[in-house]
Amino acid sequence: MTLTACGPSHEDLVLRALPELERAAETIGAEETGEVTIGGVEFIRVYRFRDRVYFVTSEAVVGVDPSGYVWSPERRPPAHEINGGAASTFEHLRGAWYRWSDSY
């Protein structure tokens, strides 16, 4: 028996919504959002940290091991980074967009 997925993956939805996500990233200030839907994609929260905007799609527990997508137009984040006790990883998707995850 073979199982097939129905519909696009979450990442496919994000890739389709990149223009809307970029418009949102350009306008977000220092405030953090709660749950928000942008371009048809649901995010737990969206926030700016330094020169990046984080779009959080999952967290094991609030603030622990979050993951999602990052818009980083100023520079490419390093593949691995230690930040505030978290080990962050970034994988390039397209343009200024990266898949991101933290591990504490």
Side-chain angles (χ1 to χ4, degrees), residues 10 14 17-29 32-39 41-49 51-59 65-73 90 93 96-102:
H10 191 266
V14 168
L18 287 182
E20 289 126 303
L21 295 174
E22 189 160 330
R23 282 191 292 277
E26 289 172 342
T27 61
I28 191 166
E32 180 176 315
T33 71
E35 292 182 13
V36 64
T37 300
I38 303 169
V41 183
E42 295 180 18
F43 298 96
I44 296 170
R45 59 193 170 107
V46 177
Y47 64 94
R48 180 176 297 279
F49 180 72
D51 61 347
R52 301 176 192 154
V53 177
Y54 288 76
F55 294 79
V56 183
T57 57
S58 69
E59 295 177 304
D65 292 346
S67 62
Y69 301 88
V70 172
W71 180 67
S72 183
F90 300 92
L93 292 174
W97 288 94
Y98 302 83
R99 184 181 310 111
W100 144 81
S101 64
D102 277 356

